[in-house]
């Protein structure tokens, strides 16, 4: 379990932790469940992403496909409400 919010002030550290998670996932063939509010983290780390709204899974799709979707209720307004993507390094 990783707490990404703790790295909000240190983008490089957040990036390092995400790299480490992905390395462990690949090398040890682990399944990882990651909860994030940052689409850029999902794009980097997840093959498949669920969009959850008010505790319900509204959509479950490949990450890039989901984030480009226009037919998922609430997704466009959620993404539009987020701050612009922050570089990790």
């Amino acid at each position: 379990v990783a707490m990404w919010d703790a790295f909000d002030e240190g983008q490089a550290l957040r990036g390092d932790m995400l790299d480490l998670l992905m390395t462990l996932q690949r090398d040890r063939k682990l399944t990882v469940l990651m909860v994030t509010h940052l689409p850029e983290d999902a794009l980097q780390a997840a093959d498949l992403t669920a969009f959850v709204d008010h505790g319900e899974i509204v959509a479950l799709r490949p990450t890039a496909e989901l984030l480009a979707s226009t037919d998922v209720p609430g997704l466009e307004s959620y993404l539009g409400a987020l701050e612009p993507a922050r570089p990790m390094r």
Side-chain angles (χ1 to χ4, degrees), residues 9-89:
E9 294 178 16
Q11 296 303 311
L13 180 56
R14 193 177 109 243
D16 289 345
M17 293 300 294
L18 191 54
D19 289 345
L20 176 60
L21 178 67
M22 292 171 57
T23 298
L24 289 170
Q25 178 185 17
R26 181 190 66 239
D27 293 352
R28 297 187 182 188
K29 299 184 183 356
L30 299 174
T31 298
V32 175
L33 174 64
M34 183 174 94
V35 177
T36 183
H37 292 239
L38 303 174
E40 62 269 23
D41 286 355
L43 277 170
Q44 184 176 351
D47 298 321
L48 192 62
T49 296
F51 176 63
V52 179
D53 188 24
H54 294 93
E56 299 288 329
I57 295 176
V58 178
L60 178 64
R61 299 184 185 165
T63 304
E65 178 184 318
L66 177 66
L67 294 176
S69 295
T70 58
D71 66 333
V72 177
L75 181 62
E76 285 186 274
S77 62
Y78 172 75
L79 293 174
L82 295 176
E83 296 176 23
R86 299 167 299 201
M88 284 193 247
R89 296 176 205 265

